[in-house]
Amino acid sequence: MPTFAEVLEADLITSVSSDLASRTFKIRIGTLVTVITIRISMRRGSSGRYEYTVSHAIQTPEQLGPYLSSIPYGDTPEEALAKAIDDLTLFYSAGVRAGHEPAESWLVRRRSLR
């Protein structure tokens, strides 16, 4: 099972800060300078599952709308963080592979997490 530190070493990720006590992580993706906040919490109504919330959704020119997972959770806090990062980097990579230059506008601010 990976640790938080190992998850934050994922390709395309720059870790800005980590607060393990509150399970709050600040990251950057690829060449973008916008800081994305990810919070991990116990999933409501579920025993033993952890949910993630992100400050920004991603929407590249390849997508019709901002992507927010319908399954934003994992069995451990580390798995939830890895899922959040995978969801963001998957679409970032797809946009770059399609020939688009990364842009700050790819990150769409969500109101629910500041």
Side-chain angles (χ1 to χ4, degrees):
M1 160 142 352
T3 65
F4 285 127
E6 290 168 337
V7 171
L8 292 168
E9 290 176 0
D11 289 341
L12 298 175
I13 295 300
T14 301
S15 178
V16 175
S17 68
S18 299
D19 182 341
L20 298 180
S22 68
R23 294 188 186 126
T24 301
F25 306 89
K26 294 183 184 285
I27 63 166
R28 289 191 178 101
I29 298 175
T31 60
L32 303 179
V33 297
T34 300
V35 174
I36 300 168
T37 300
I38 302 170
R39 287 193 185 135
I40 310 297
S41 59
M42 182 65 76
R43 188 164 185 232
R44 291 185 189 127
S46 173
S47 60
R49 297 208 89 179
Y50 294 86
E51 185 171 35
Y52 72 81
T53 307
V54 292
S55 61
H56 295 75
I58 189 162
Q59 181 180 0
T60 70
E62 297 299 302
Q63 300 167 253
L64 295 176
Y67 178 76
L68 291 171
S69 177
S70 60
I71 308 170
Y73 52 83
D75 290 332
T76 67
E78 296 85 359
E79 285 180 14
L81 179 61
K83 174 84 166 62
I85 289 170
D86 288 348
D87 289 347
L88 291 163
T89 58
L90 174 73
F91 288 99
Y92 178 95
S93 295
V96 171
R97 276 194 312 275
H100 301 286
E101 186 70 29
E104 298 302 316
S105 62
W106 289 10
L107 298 176
V108 179
R109 184 83 164 142
R110 298 188 60 221
R111 285 186 250 156
S112 62
L113 185 63
R114 300 260 178 232

